[in-house]
Amino acid sequence: MDLKTLTELRAPSGHEQPIRRALLAELKDMGLDPQLDRMGNVVVVKQGTKGADAPRVMVAAHMDEVGLLVANATEEGFLRTLPVGGVDSRVVISKRVLCGDEAIPGVIGAMAIHLQTAEDRKHVLSYDDIYVDIGAKDKAEAESKCPKGTYITFDTDYVEFGEGCVSAKALDDRVGCYNLLRVLREEYPCTVVAVFTSEEEVGCRGAKGAAFAQEPDMGIVLEGTTCNDLGNVPEPEQVCKVGAGVAVSFMDRSSIGNRSLFQKALRLGEEQGIACQVKGSVSGGNDAGEIQLARAGVPTLVLSVPCRSIHSPSSVCKLSDVDAQLALVQALLKTL
């Protein structure tokens, strides 16, 4: 399954069924035996060539994406929404969306600029100030088509542009899912517990149950991370750079990277010519926070693909960074 297919699947947190079905079919076609757990995680255990004494390494990538949720409808037939995950209200204005399982098209709107006062233009729009227009004539029609609790995703095509760049929705974390599928095509001395996790964007809920149940000896998280490398941002304030390779985290807001794994990853990158960089900011959080705390504790490491405009209708990454993430996780798995 290619990255285009993965990013264009519509699967916000709590409604991962479309990508779950696609992954189950793909994994079965690969000759593997995927299992579903109670949190909706897709789990594949691939035994290592070193036998029962080999360490169990949980490699996680989350299936879900950020999106919106219908809260109610106005008398005029517009939908009021809430964010699912960290979606900045400033990046969604005038964007096309798809609503519910039937993919009803809509457009996110707000008061037109020529109707705003000078004071209005100083105000950052919140979700109370914006709406989704699905062309409904009134509240009754809007609620019949998109009742409360309906999921909304961005309507964004996958586009390759420039020198190996990609623009798409949900690069966080379909890049990780894409590479986890590629990881499972090879053999490793350790036992790989591959987990496509659910509900990461709303609190890393799937990873918590999976890590407790699978009892890994160590964990590696494959994710997309923010860059902050645009415009005139001073280099010390940049998190990482698109095109500079996979970002290795020493710490974020949910976990601290195991020092041995962190140093080993950087050493392997240098020895094997894998482009990598150290994430330059203690920011964000991901499934490693829950994996690290499972049972008596699990040494963890996070390997990230830099993504510009993350958690937006159109984020950007570089395919060379995606390949670098794959190369580094495979190098680790082959030497643990």
Side-chain angles (χ1 to χ4, degrees):
M1 189 182 304
D2 58 22
L3 186 57
K4 179 180 187 298
T5 300
L6 285 165
T7 59
E8 293 182 351
L9 289 167
R10 302 175 56 237
S13 306
H15 193 70
E16 294 95 345
Q17 288 92 325
I19 189 170
R20 191 155 41 227
R21 285 193 293 265
L23 288 171
L24 287 169
E26 180 79 4
L27 292 163
K28 289 174 182 176
D29 286 346
M30 292 166 60
L32 300 168
D33 182 28
Q35 302 294 319
L36 285 178
D37 66 15
R38 290 183 181 179
M39 280 299 296
N41 300 306
V42 177
V43 182
V44 177
V45 179
K46 187 164 188 175
Q47 296 297 328
T49 58
K50 292 294 185 180
D53 292 334
R56 288 171 64 85
V57 183
M58 178 173 168
V59 186
H62 68 87
M63 297 180 287
D64 58 316
E65 63 189 278
V66 298
L68 304 174
L69 199 63
V70 174
N72 51 55
T74 69
E75 294 298 329
E76 298 79 14
F78 301 123
L79 303 176
R80 295 295 185 186
T81 62
L82 298 170
V84 177
V87 189
D88 189 337
S89 60
R90 293 172 295 182
V91 305
V92 303
I93 303 301
S94 301
K95 301 301 187 293
R96 298 196 310 270
V97 293
L98 297 171
C99 308
D101 292 339
E102 296 181 2
I104 296 169
V107 176
I108 298 176
M111 183 186 293
I113 186 70
H114 57 272
L115 298 179
Q116 295 177 21
T117 66
E119 192 62 32
D120 288 333
R121 289 192 288 272
K122 296 177 183 178
H123 173 62
V124 176
L125 294 175
S126 72
Y127 282 96
D128 291 333
D129 303 312
I130 63 179
Y131 54 82
V132 175
D133 184 356
I134 59 170
K137 65 179 181 293
D138 55 26
K139 182 175 183 178
E141 183 181 358
E143 289 182 337
S144 68
K145 291 182 175 180
C146 298
K148 293 179 181 180
T150 298
Y151 282 97
I152 298 175
T153 57
F154 300 118
D155 183 8
T156 307
D157 293 332
Y158 173 99
V159 177
E160 294 187 9
F161 69 103
E163 295 184 5
C165 290
V166 166
S167 172
K169 72 171 182 63
L171 287 173
D172 176 32
D173 184 30
R174 303 297 160 72
V175 290
C177 293
Y178 174 58
N179 276 338
L180 189 47
L181 285 171
R182 296 203 283 176
V183 162
L184 288 168
R185 296 187 183 279
E186 294 195 18
E187 303 293 329
Y188 305 94
C190 60
T191 293
V192 175
V193 182
V195 185
F196 300 86
T197 61
S198 65
E199 300 189 25
E200 190 267 359
E201 297 292 3
V202 290
C204 305
R205 297 169 185 173
K208 184 173 185 176
F212 184 89
Q214 295 299 325
E215 298 187 66
D217 296 304
M218 58 193 77
I220 300 174
V221 171
L222 306 180
E223 64 134 15
T225 193
T226 186
C227 299
N228 201 31
D229 67 342
L230 292 171
N232 298 320
V233 178
E235 189 163 340
E237 297 177 17
Q238 296 180 12
V239 179
C240 53
K241 295 182 179 179
V242 167
V246 57
V248 186
S249 294
F250 58 86
M251 181 181 177
D252 57 39
R253 291 177 182 168
S254 68
S255 68
I256 296 177
N258 176 268
R259 292 300 296 177
S260 295
L261 288 174
F262 174 77
Q263 292 165 353
K264 186 179 185 69
L266 295 179
R267 185 170 65 251
L268 285 170
E270 183 176 359
E271 292 172 355
Q272 299 189 22
I274 302 168
C276 60
Q277 56 187 308
V278 176
K279 188 174 175 180
S281 171
V282 178
S283 57
N286 50 68
D287 283 337
E290 293 297 340
I291 297 170
Q292 187 178 69
L293 298 176
R295 293 188 181 268
V298 180
T300 58
L301 184 67
V302 181
L303 305 178
S304 305
V305 172
C307 296
R308 290 181 184 137
S309 305
I310 202 167
H311 286 196
S312 78
S314 299
S315 52
V316 173
C317 76
K318 202 152 191 178
L319 292 174
S320 60
D321 294 338
V322 179
D323 290 339
Q325 184 190 58
L326 173 67
L328 191 54
V329 69
Q330 287 184 320
L332 282 164
L333 292 172
K334 290 174 182 178
T335 56
L336 288 175

